[in-house]
Every structure is written in C-alpha cells, then in structure tokens.
Amino acid sequence: MATANYVPPEDRFLCSICLDVFTDPVTIPCGHNFCKTCITEHWDTSDRCQCPMCNKEFNTRPELHVNTFISEMVAEFRQSAQQKASSSSSSSSSSEQQVFKPGEVPCDVCTETKLKALKSCLVCLTSYCETHLEPHLTASSLKRHQLIDPVENLEDRMCPKHDKPLELFCKTDQTCVCMLCTVSDHKMHDVVPLKEGYEGEKAELETETQQMIQKRQLKIEEIKHSVDLSKEEADREVAEGVQVFTALESVERGQANLINTIKEKQKTTENQAEDLIKELEQEISELEKRSSEVEQVTHSEDHLILLQRFMSLKVAPPTKDWTEVSIHSSHEGTVVRAVVQLEETFSKEMKKLLDEAELKRVQKYAVDVTLDPDTAHPKLILSDGGKQVSDGDVKRNLPDNPERFSDRPCVLGKQSFSSGRFYFEVQVKGKTEWTLGVARESINRKGDITLGPQWGNWTIWLRNGNEYRALDGPSVLLSLKSQPQKVGVFVDYEEGLVSFYDVDAAALIYSFTGCSFTEKLYPLFGPGLNDGGKNSTPLIISPVRVN
C-alpha cells in the first residue's frame, strides 16, 4: 500500500518536447501530455497536426485544456524538489573546498552560498554543483542528458528564434541550429549532430591549412629554382659579354659596365625573391599557428564551442593567391642592347656572335605546333602526325566548315596563343614557293585573302625560287645572303613583335614591330602550289634544337 508522502519519479513530470518539468500541462486525445506552449509551437512549425510521441495524426487541431490533476502533481513535485535542493545546499555550504571562486563556473541552482559547478548540462542549459548534479546521475530520464565540463554563458546555446537548445549543425548554411530550425528555415538542408559537424569541420580545416602550407612551401622552392635559373642565365650573359667586348679593345669600359649592369639586375632579382620568400614563410608561420590552435581546441568535449571556434578560424586565412607569382629574369637581351649601342664598331665576327646569341634566346620559347586539318584548304595534304603539309593539286571533297580556307591554300596550327612568347621552326628546304607566319583568329577564311598586318596576318613568303618578301604594309623585298633551309618564327605578344630567322645562318630575316595583338594568334602555313612537281616538297614543322 502506498504511503501518504510518496512522490512519483521525476521523469513522469518531464515534457518530451522540452525535456523539462511540465509548465501548464495539457493532455491531447491520444493520451500523451505536453507543456501547452511546447505542443502549440510544435504544431505551428509542423506541416501536420500529430502527436510527437506516437505520431497519431488529427484531422483538426484539438482544443487544449490544462490538465488540473497533472498540474497539481507537478506543483507538489516542484515544492518537494525545492525543499530537497534547499536542504542539500545548506548542508554542503560549509565545505570551503567547493565554494565558487572568481574564474570558476558557479552552480546555477545554489540560492545562498554559490558552490563550484562540477558539470554543465547541454540539455538543461544549467551548471550543477556535486549535490545538485545527483538527479542527472540517478534519474533515468536525466541520464540521457549530455554533461560536459563546466562552461559559462549557457544561454548562448539557445536558438534565438525558437528558444530551444542548439544541438545540430547545418552544413548547408554553416551554422548551429535547434530541432525546430530543421522544419522551418533549414528544412531540406544538410543537418547533422554537433559532434559529426565538428569532426567534419575539423578535418576540413586541418586539410585546408596543410594544403595552404604545402602550396607556399612549393612556391618557395619554385622561387629558389627561378633564382638559380636566373643566375645561370646571368653567368651565360656575362660569358657572352666578355667574349664580345674582349674582341674590341676600345670598349673595355663597356665590358665592365655591362657586367655591373647584369650583376645589379641579378641582385634585384635575388632581393625580390628574398622578399617573396619572407612573405611566404610568414604566411606558413601563421598557418602553422592556426593549425596549432585547431589542435588545442580539439581536446574539449564541447562540440558547439569547437564549431564556433572553427568558424572564427576559417574567417581570415591568408588570402593572397600565389599561383601566378614567380620570379622572372631581367637579364634577357642585356648583351644585345649593349652591342646595338656599339654596332658601328662591330666587325662581321661580332655580328655573327650577336645573331647566334639572339637566336638561342628566342629558341628557349619553343612550342610544339601541329597542323589543324579542320582549317586546311581542300587541296592540301597533311601527314598523319600533323607535322607536314604539301599541295596535292587535286581539290578533295571536304566539308566547307567555317574554319576551313576555301581559296588560298593555307592551314593553321591547332595551338593558339594570347599572351607571352612562342617560337617554332619550319623546314623549307627544296621548295620554290611557301608562306609562313601567324594570323589572328578572325582572319578571313573564305574567298581570296590579302596578306598583310591590316588584314590580321604577319607573314613572309618565297616566290619564283629566290624572291623573298615580307608582307608588311607596304611589302618589303628582302635581300638575303643565302637561301634559308629552315625558318624560325618568334612572337612576343605583349611586345607586339613577330620575327623570322634563318636558323642555319643564325641570322634575322625580318621583324614586324609595333604590332597590336588583341585576339588569339595561330601559326599559319602555306606550302605553295605543286607547280607540276617542282614544289612538291612539304613544309615540315621541325623540333627545335638549340646549338
């Protein structure tokens, strides 16, 4: 038989929605009890009117009335719990070791002497001393609550919109949310528990930080390598300068000035590299510090604090994009410019040395070029590898696509260039007619085509076996000492320069200067008419070999 002072277990008076003691308890038709405010808010934010416990659905929202019997039982329970808490607080207040001190988290339940909190509950949003923590260790319903080391500002863990605990993480919006948020503002979003969100964000942040460190370390190596290459080039330039100026007794002073200029430029390059490396090392230091902070916060069990800390760590990583940062040599052409100033004193031998040095310089920008069959005139025959082209005399039946030349027997390279420098070589040995150069993408492909810069092409040609012309405006008849067997084509897009070289003689044939390039440029090849077999030898794109 039950005694008169029997108090039912605490979990009978807990609302299954807020997990707290009932406030204005109401009973719905299926028999389950909830706080009046909790069930009202639940139905307001849900698509259907159903019981959160048994999922029984109601066609119309039930009228809610406070269950007076349960309400009285709850009142008795609250009074009993308060008396017990007051008694426990009084009996333990004499313990000096547990009294709350500055810098510690106090118990939120103690009413007189505040004791030091032993744990904080992420469900109740309350911190408890050893005495007031006891129900969480004994009551079956409270044992499910999540306890962590004491923390302050537990109110920050409540959703400002729904006044519910922040116990989920929305990966879509990168923010912490409550249960009600998942059926309103964050419906259909990718939502996971705090722990899973923390682990994912931690892994992502660690990976991102390590990748940024690695990129900057690689950039340091790239810059150091660029400095080494620059130094090698500087040494070659000095050697060539010494060779040139030693042959001219009257320009010993010019030799010294040239070497000093090169060394000063090299010093500038090294200083620039030093500054970049210092900046990169500073960013690596910051990132390693950031990585250390990530490691430090991972020892906490508080996933909300961890996620919020990760969000702050992700706010301001180094933002500089190092992808396009590099060290460029400033030595190129130093010897050439110095020699041009003294060209009146140069002998034929010095001129040859100069031309060889210039050809070696442009050959460094060699690119792999292949022929584009979609642009080839129907009479042209291309090799399988796309490296040779000749005139076949017979016009084949090919699709007249917009890219194809319909009248002039020409073909473009597949590769296009819209910046920087590029160079390629073409064997013209045995031919009596050919056209070589570059053309902009919008060059007219149909009907008769006029060659010249004003029509979007920069070319030279051979006609009648020995007549060489640069198709400039106006065209220029070229006087060459020997017939080129291999022609080199060099383009500096930003400089607006197109130059042609006799590769074997290491001699400049002609340069188009002051060009204005605004479109993609394509290599252009015209093997000339077959001429009854006299000009049947193909144009051959040759691999570049630096002498």
Side-chain angles (χ1 to χ4, degrees):
M1 182 172 181
T3 61
N5 61 352
Y6 169 71
V7 179
E10 180 181 353
D11 53 2
R12 293 191 179 185
F13 302 115
L14 298 181
C15 171
S16 60
I17 295 178
C18 66
L19 300 178
D20 206 348
V21 178
F22 287 121
T23 301
D24 295 333
V26 296
T27 304
I28 63 177
C30 62
H32 290 111
N33 304 303
F34 307 94
C35 297
K36 185 176 183 181
T37 301
C38 292
I39 190 65
T40 300
E41 288 183 356
H42 177 73
W43 284 341
D44 287 344
T45 58
S46 179
D47 296 336
R48 292 176 291 183
C49 183
Q50 62 181 23
C51 174
M53 294 287 290
C54 64
N55 293 327
K56 179 175 178 59
E57 192 166 344
F58 309 110
N59 294 329
T60 58
R61 181 181 291 198
E63 187 176 356
L64 301 177
H65 299 283
V66 175
N67 188 319
T68 56
F69 174 73
I70 296 178
S71 182
E72 291 173 358
M73 294 287 288
V74 169
E76 291 179 6
F77 173 78
R78 288 183 186 274
Q79 183 177 3
S80 174
Q82 288 174 356
Q83 290 175 352
K84 182 179 179 182
S86 176
S87 175
S88 299
S89 175
S90 298
S91 64
S92 62
S93 61
S94 60
S95 174
E96 292 296 331
Q97 293 183 353
Q98 293 186 358
V99 173
F100 159 70
K101 299 177 182 178
E104 296 177 336
V105 178
C107 174
D108 294 326
V109 182
C110 293
T111 56
E112 297 180 2
T113 303
K114 286 287 186 182
L115 300 184
K116 174 183 176 181
L118 185 64
K119 292 286 182 180
S120 294
C121 177
L122 294 180
V123 179
C124 303
L125 296 178
T126 305
S127 296
Y128 299 101
C129 64
E130 184 176 2
T131 301
H132 293 129
L133 180 65
E134 184 177 353
H136 277 75
L137 304 177
T138 57
S140 58
S141 60
L142 296 178
K143 284 182 178 180
R144 297 193 297 268
H145 289 195
Q146 184 178 357
L147 299 176
I148 63 172
D149 291 336
V151 293
E152 296 181 310
N153 303 322
L154 286 169
E155 61 275 8
D156 293 341
R157 300 171 178 277
M158 299 294 288
C159 174
K161 184 173 183 179
H162 302 109
D163 200 30
K164 299 295 180 185
L166 296 171
E167 50 190 351
L168 299 170
F169 181 67
C170 176
K171 296 172 70 175
T172 305
D173 292 338
Q174 294 284 291
T175 186
C176 298
V177 298
C178 71
M179 289 294 294
L180 293 181
C181 288
T182 63
V183 295
S184 56
D185 297 342
H186 298 267
K187 190 174 183 180
M188 305 303 290
H189 287 189
D190 186 4
V191 178
V192 297
L194 283 179
K195 183 177 180 181
E196 183 179 338
Y198 141 74
E199 290 174 347
E201 290 299 313
K202 172 179 176 289
E204 181 182 339
L205 187 58
E206 288 177 343
T207 300
E208 177 188 344
T209 302
Q210 290 304 315
Q211 287 176 346
M212 295 176 75
I213 291 174
Q214 290 173 6
K215 284 183 179 179
R216 280 150 180 78
Q217 289 174 335
L218 289 174
K219 180 56 69 173
I220 287 177
E221 294 304 315
E222 179 187 329
I223 292 174
K224 288 181 177 178
H225 181 61
S226 298
V227 173
D228 291 339
L229 293 178
S230 177
K231 188 176 186 306
E232 290 176 6
E233 183 180 327
D235 291 342
R236 287 195 301 269
E237 290 281 332
V238 169
E240 290 178 4
V242 170
Q243 184 180 9
V244 170
F245 284 99
T246 300
L248 301 171
E249 297 179 355
S250 60
V251 290
E252 289 180 356
R253 183 178 298 176
Q255 173 184 328
N257 291 338
L258 173 64
I259 295 173
N260 288 335
T261 299
I262 294 172
K263 288 182 177 179
E264 287 174 4
K265 289 183 177 180
Q266 176 60 21
K267 184 63 177 177
T268 300
T269 299
E270 291 176 351
N271 289 340
Q272 181 186 3
E274 226 172 84
D275 292 341
L276 291 175
I277 289 172
K278 285 181 181 178
E279 188 175 353
L280 281 162
E281 289 175 340
Q282 177 63 31
E283 287 197 9
I284 290 175
S285 175
E286 293 174 4
L287 288 168
E288 288 175 339
K289 180 181 177 183
R290 189 160 166 251
S291 180
S292 176
E293 291 178 8
V294 172
E295 182 62 29
Q296 289 176 7
V297 300
T298 56
H299 297 300
S300 172
E301 299 174 5
D302 186 350
H303 300 144
L304 176 62
I305 291 296
L306 291 174
L307 279 169
Q308 291 174 340
R309 181 60 180 146
F310 286 154
M311 294 302 100
S312 67
L313 287 174
K314 290 174 68 176
V315 167
T319 56
K320 183 166 182 177
D321 183 5
W322 289 92
T323 306
E324 300 300 327
V325 177
S326 60
I327 296 294
H328 297 285
S329 169
S330 59
H331 305 301
E332 290 184 1
T334 305
V335 176
V336 175
R337 288 189 292 272
V339 172
V340 168
Q341 295 174 1
L342 300 167
E343 62 182 354
E344 292 182 358
T345 63
F346 269 27
S347 65
K348 292 181 180 181
E349 183 179 355
M350 294 303 100
K351 182 65 168 63
K352 181 179 180 182
L353 288 172
L354 174 61
D355 289 342
E356 288 177 352
E358 176 66 9
L359 181 60
K360 287 179 183 178
R361 183 182 73 86
V362 300
Q363 284 178 326
K364 292 188 299 183
Y365 301 99
V367 295
D368 185 22
V369 175
T370 53
L371 302 171
D372 185 358
D374 290 338
T375 66
H377 184 277
K379 286 179 62 178
L380 298 184
I381 299 175
L382 275 58
S383 65
D384 292 338
K387 295 293 186 180
Q388 302 184 22
V389 58
S390 59
D391 181 68
D393 265 344
V394 179
K395 192 172 184 178
R396 293 174 295 161
N397 185 21
L398 297 176
D400 188 20
N401 48 287
E403 297 86 1
R404 192 179 304 283
F405 288 96
S406 64
D407 191 29
R408 183 176 290 275
C410 293
V411 61
L412 297 180
K414 284 184 179 180
Q415 293 74 19
S416 64
F417 305 90
S418 55
S419 64
R421 301 161 179 166
F422 64 96
Y423 173 85
F424 60 94
E425 293 179 352
V426 182
Q427 181 176 309
V428 296
K429 182 179 180 180
K431 297 193 64 63
T432 60
E433 183 178 330
W434 50 258
T435 302
L436 287 175
V438 294
R440 65 189 180 199
E441 186 174 28
S442 62
I443 185 176
N444 179 30
R445 317 283 177 98
K446 308 302 178 184
D448 191 20
I449 301 168
T450 304
L451 297 179
Q454 57 269 52
W455 290 281
N457 55 83
W458 295 263
T459 61
I460 63 173
W461 75 14
L462 167 66
R463 293 293 184 268
N464 304 320
N466 59 5
E467 181 184 325
Y468 295 91
R469 280 188 178 274
L471 285 306
D472 209 334
S475 66
V476 178
L477 181 64
L478 302 175
S479 177
L480 305 182
K481 295 181 179 180
S482 61
Q483 289 194 323
Q485 305 296 298
K486 186 182 292 184
V487 175
V489 183
F490 172 71
V491 177
D492 187 328
Y493 195 97
E494 284 75 20
E495 189 70 21
L497 173 70
V498 181
S499 296
F500 298 85
Y501 295 88
D502 180 340
V503 176
D504 295 326
L508 177 67
I509 297 174
Y510 188 79
S511 287
F512 292 85
T513 59
C515 308
S516 179
F517 302 131
T518 58
E519 302 178 27
K520 293 179 181 178
L521 296 181
Y522 289 83
L524 181 144
F525 307 85
L529 301 177
N530 185 283
D531 193 18
K534 295 180 181 178
N535 190 40
S536 60
T537 304
L539 287 177
I540 304 174
I541 302 173
S542 306
V544 177
R545 295 185 176 87
V546 180
N547 294 329

